[in-house]
Amino acid sequence: PADGGTGLVIRWRYRLRHDGSTAYFAFCAPFGYEDWLSLIVPLELGLAAKHSAAAGQHNGSAPTPGAPAPGNPLQVLSDAIQDGWNPKVGSGIYFHRQEMCRSLEGRSVELLTITAASEQQRAGAALEEMPAELSMPGTPPLCFPGKPIVFFSARVHPGETPGQFAWLGALRHLLSDDPRA
C-alpha cells in the first residue's frame, strides 16, 4: 500500500502543450452505442448463418455484407476487447435479440436471450408470453421451462464503460464452445 493506504496508486506525468489544444484523460477506452451496434449486428448475422448452416438450411444466396464468416462469428468480440483468444462458437446455441424499450436519447435497450438448445428443444419451445404491460416490439424469445435464468446488466450509466468490456468478455464466453459456458 502506498503511503500507508490500502489501495492502488497510479501516477503519471504529462506535459501540457500551451498551443490551445485540449488534452483528455480517461480511465478506460471509449466505447459508445455505435461501437455496440458495430459488434452486435455482425455477431447476430454470423450466429444466424452458423445456425442455418448447421441445420442444413442454405438458400444459395450471397453472404450478407458486414456479416463475418459463418465459422467465426465471435471474432468481432475478440477484436473489440483486443484479445487474441478467438474461440469457436458452441453448438446448439439459441441466440435471440429483442428491443425492450428506448432510452431517453432514443437508443435501443436490448434483451439478449442465450441458452443451449438442440433443434428438438427449439421445436418444442413456445414463444414466451410477455405481460401485457410489457409491450416489447418484435418476436419474443422462445421459452425453455426448467432452465435457470441468469441476468446480466451492463452499461446502465454512461460512465460504466469497463462494465461494457466485462459484458463483451462474458458474452464471448457464453457463446463459445467452452464446456463451462
Side-chain angles (χ1 to χ4, degrees):
D3 302 325
T6 59
L8 175 69
V9 174
I10 298 175
R11 293 186 180 132
W12 73 91
R13 290 179 190 248
Y14 182 82
R15 186 173 301 257
L16 295 172
R17 288 185 261 154
H18 298 284
D19 60 0
S21 62
T22 303
Y24 295 96
F25 298 94
F27 69 99
C28 185
F31 191 92
Y33 180 67
E34 292 76 22
D35 296 313
W36 167 248
L37 292 178
S38 73
L39 294 179
I40 193 63
V41 171
L43 177 64
E44 181 179 33
L45 291 171
L47 290 170
K50 181 144 179 81
H51 177 258
S52 294
Q57 304 167 353
H58 181 65
N59 60 11
S61 63
T64 305
N72 197 19
L74 298 184
Q75 181 69 47
V76 293
L77 296 177
S78 293
D79 290 347
I81 57 179
Q82 300 176 6
D83 188 4
W85 180 57
N86 187 30
K88 293 180 182 177
V89 174
S91 60
I93 291 179
Y94 173 77
F95 178 89
H96 184 271
R97 177 178 167 220
Q98 182 179 12
E99 181 179 292
M100 286 187 357
C101 61
R102 291 278 171 163
S103 71
L104 294 175
E105 292 81 22
R107 298 176 181 146
S108 178
V109 177
E110 298 180 330
L111 172 67
L112 301 181
T113 302
I114 303 167
T115 192
S118 67
E119 287 301 318
Q120 184 178 14
Q121 287 173 316
R122 287 177 196 231
L127 290 177
E128 180 72 49
E129 289 191 33
M130 298 292 176
E133 60 273 5
L134 186 65
S135 60
M136 294 173 26
T139 306
L142 294 177
C143 179
F144 298 93
K147 288 203 171 208
I149 294 174
V150 178
F151 181 80
F152 283 89
S153 176
R155 200 60 189 270
V156 176
H157 303 97
E160 296 172 350
T161 307
Q164 182 75 47
F165 291 110
W167 163 242
L168 293 177
L171 179 60
R172 182 179 63 165
H173 176 73
L174 290 171
L175 296 171
S176 77
D177 63 350
D178 188 310
R180 297 169 295 175

